[in-house]
Amino acid sequence: MANPSCLLYAFLLLVAFQSTMINATTVIQPPQCRPVAASSREKIIFSVNLLLYQGEFLLRASVGVGINDIAPGLVQGPDPIGATIANFSNPVRRVIEELGLVTVGHLRALVQAGILDAPITRPQMDVSAEAYAGFVNVAFNVSTLTPPFNIYANTPSFVAAAKGFSAFIQQYYAGIIPSIVGNDLQQLVTRIGLSQAAGLGVLRTLLNDVINSTVPPYTFTAAELSNRTSEVVNRLGGCGVKAEGLIVPLQLGAENRTTSNVVPGDVNSLAFVRSEREILRMVFGTGNATRPGGLYQDGFIGSLYLRIRDFQLS
């Protein structure tokens, strides 16, 4: 019969072996890429900042109205800066309008679920052509394109921007859904996330339809615009390649068998996940989650954002 010291030694070896196996198979995110500890309600309210932007952006670009024109009393706060009706064909305009209307429904559903009260406070949002031109200038490594880039000038310019922002929402929901507490609330967030994913697919399909066309009045194509702006987003996010263009190297395509990339994903074609600080670094355009700018001049609403800002979780 083994003596107690031998048994203890064997037990410690087993624990050490198991620990080695866990470390070898578990992906540990660096601190700046991990989600911030928060309640389900705080996470959802964080996402509301993105939904508010999306709703105003798509509706004002397609039909020149805002969320309150569709659902009076649903939101309050400053109007977005620089809203402009975009130069779309009628079929594209109807699609963009529908996606904006869908977002209004998502916001209403969250109010009805008691996550927050109406009117929802809207942060100061910048939807101007100038705000987006800043990202594109960096993408093409110039101080200013000639003429200055205008997302509202044509379909590929606008859809490239809209699909990028829509991806932020889809990726954030993909990350928070498993952590939402309560069956009813988790189901609601899942349904919103699935709808948002469908909308992202529509936008990427619209852009894919003109992928090899040049973006007027420039010589670069929609594919190049998509790829270059995705690179900027990844640099700002600081947590790896999670924004992908519509054309990728074969080794990054689905099952390494295609260079088309209408449905972006990881090596198993699973949706990418973004955390709160990644989102803030990207939409602020500063690469710093505590330094507002870009699309949100004064930052987000909600206690989760304030905690990130006040504790300098960049």
Side-chain angles (χ1 to χ4, degrees), residues 186-294:
Q186 189 176 68
Q187 184 182 72
L188 173 59
V189 173
T190 300
R191 293 170 71 186
I192 293 174
L194 289 172
S195 180
Q196 288 290 332
L200 174 59
V202 169
L203 291 169
R204 290 183 72 92
T205 300
L206 283 178
L207 191 59
N208 192 63
D209 287 343
V210 294
I211 197 65
N212 293 316
S213 302
T214 56
V215 178
Y218 311 104
T219 58
F220 56 78
T221 65
E224 187 176 4
L225 175 63
S226 175
N227 288 350
R228 282 179 175 255
T229 51
S230 293
E231 291 171 1
V232 172
V233 166
N234 288 323
R235 290 203 301 270
L236 289 171
C239 296
V241 177
K242 299 180 183 180
E244 294 182 338
L246 286 157
I247 296 177
V248 294
L250 193 63
Q251 63 268 27
L252 296 181
E255 297 304 300
N256 309 133
R257 291 172 178 267
T258 178
T259 59
S260 66
N261 194 42
V262 179
V263 182
D266 67 9
V267 66
N268 293 316
S269 294
L270 301 178
F272 293 109
V273 170
R274 296 274 193 190
S275 67
E276 293 82 12
R277 285 174 287 178
E278 287 179 79
I279 297 292
L280 294 173
R281 290 192 287 262
M282 294 182 298
V283 299
F284 289 172
T286 61
N288 187 321
T290 66
R291 195 167 78 240

Side-chain angles (χ1 to χ4, degrees), residues 8 20 38 68 72 126 144 185 267 311:
L8 176 61
T20 301
N68 266 343
D126 191 342
T144 305
L185 195 54
V267 66
F311 282 89

Side-chain angles (χ1 to χ4, degrees), residues 36-45 179-181 303-304 307:
V36 178
S39 68
S40 297
R41 184 173 182 274
E42 286 180 314
K43 294 174 185 177
I44 296 170
I45 291 177
S179 66
I180 300 299
V181 177
S303 57
L304 176 50
R307 194 156 63 250

